[in-house]
Amino acid sequence: MTLSFFDQFMSPTYLGIPLIAVALTLPWILFPTPSARWLNNRLITLQGWFINRFTQQLLLPLNLGGHKWAVLLTSLMLFLITLNMLGLLPYTFTPTTQLSLNMGLAVPLWLATVIIGMRNQPTAALGHLLPEGTPVPLIPVLIIIETISLFIRPLALGVRLTANLTAGHLLIQLIATAAFVLLPLMPTVAILTSIVLFLLTLLEIAVAMIQAYVFVLLLSLYLQENV
C-alpha cells in the first residue's frame, strides 16, 4: 500500500515511449489564440488582462535591461501554472513533481542570470560574494559561504517546487483513501473526511498557482541582482 502511493509520480510510458513529452506539450494547446477581430471574447480578454497584470508586477523592480526577459518569464509562469493545475485532475500525471524536470528549468535560467551579471557588471556580480565592511579574518570564510549559497539557488528552486507538489498530492491520496475505507464502516467520519479532502483540494489549487509564481518571482530577483 505504501509503495502504491508513490506510483502516481512515476513517468508513464506507452510502448516504451515516455509520455512526459505529451504532458509538457498539452498546456500550449489549451491556451486560446487571439483573433484578428477588434473585439475578443471574454476568455481571451481575461487571459490578456491576467498576463498584463502579472507582467507589470513581475517587471516592477527590474530596470529596462531586465524587461527583455518579460516574454520568457511570463511564458514560464503560464506553463508551470497549467502543468500544476492539470496535475490535480484525476488520472493525470504532473511533470513538475519530477525533480529532474524542475532542475532542468531552474539550472539553465539561473546560470543565464549569473552569466549576464558576469558579462555586464563583473565587479558588482563578484561583489555579492563579499559583503561590505567584512573583517579581514572572515573574508575567506564568507567568500566560501556566499559561493555555496549562490550554487544552492537552483537546487532550492527545483526542490521547493517538487516538494510542495509532491506533498500535496500525497496528502490528497492519503485522505481520499481514508474516506473510501471509512465509508462503509463509519459514514459520518467518512463525510467529515471528504469535507477535509475538498478543502485540501482547494488549498492545493492555491499552492499550484503560488508555487509557479514563487518559482518565476525568485528567478526575477536573481535577474535583478545581475542586471
Side-chain angles (χ1 to χ4, degrees):
M1 179 64 73
T2 304
L3 293 177
S4 64
F5 287 153
F6 293 91
D7 289 345
Q8 59 177 320
F9 304 117
M10 296 176 60
S11 179
T13 58
Y14 182 72
L15 297 178
I17 301 173
L19 298 181
I20 189 172
V22 179
L24 293 176
T25 310
L26 185 61
W28 302 115
I29 304 175
L30 299 178
F31 294 131
T33 55
S35 61
R37 300 176 181 177
W38 286 6
L39 295 177
N40 294 318
N41 57 31
R42 296 177 181 176
L43 182 59
I44 295 180
T45 303
L46 182 62
Q47 176 183 273
W49 175 84
F50 171 76
I51 292 175
N52 289 334
R53 292 295 299 173
F54 170 74
T55 306
Q56 290 176 5
Q57 293 295 325
L58 188 66
L59 300 182
L60 194 60
L62 297 178
N63 55 21
L64 292 178
H67 292 185
K68 301 175 183 177
W69 287 58
V71 176
L72 175 62
L73 294 179
T74 305
S75 302
L76 180 62
M77 168 74 174
L78 293 175
F79 183 62
L80 290 177
I81 282 184
T82 311
L83 283 180
N84 295 345
M85 298 289 286
L86 289 177
L88 293 173
L89 296 175
Y91 301 104
T92 56
F93 171 69
T94 312
T96 45
T97 56
Q98 305 294 313
L99 183 61
S100 57
L101 173 66
N102 296 332
M103 293 300 295
L105 293 173
V107 172
L109 294 173
W110 164 81
L111 188 60
T113 61
V114 174
I115 292 175
I116 287 176
M118 291 294 184
R119 188 187 65 178
N120 294 341
Q121 43 184 9
T123 304
L126 294 176
H128 291 302
L129 301 179
L130 184 63
E132 187 177 357
T134 304
V136 177
L138 296 179
I139 288 179
V141 178
L142 280 180
I143 290 179
I144 295 174
I145 293 175
E146 292 295 331
T147 304
I148 294 174
S149 67
L150 178 66
F151 284 97
I152 283 178
R153 285 180 175 182
L155 181 63
L157 278 177
V159 170
R160 180 186 294 108
L161 183 58
T162 304
N164 281 280
L165 295 179
T166 303
H169 283 63
L170 282 177
L171 275 176
I172 288 178
Q173 186 168 2
L174 285 170
I175 296 179
T177 304
F180 180 76
V181 172
L182 291 173
L183 186 59
L185 302 176
M186 293 179 286
T188 306
V189 180
I191 292 174
L192 294 177
T193 308
S194 301
I195 295 174
V196 174
L197 177 62
F198 175 73
L199 296 177
L200 181 62
T201 304
L202 295 180
L203 178 63
E204 282 305 309
I205 293 174
V207 168
M209 301 176 67
I210 291 172
Q211 288 304 316
Y213 175 72
V214 169
F215 189 92
V216 178
L217 179 63
L218 289 177
L219 276 177
S220 68
L221 294 178
Y222 300 158
L223 179 64
Q224 180 184 359
E225 295 180 358
N226 295 286
V227 174

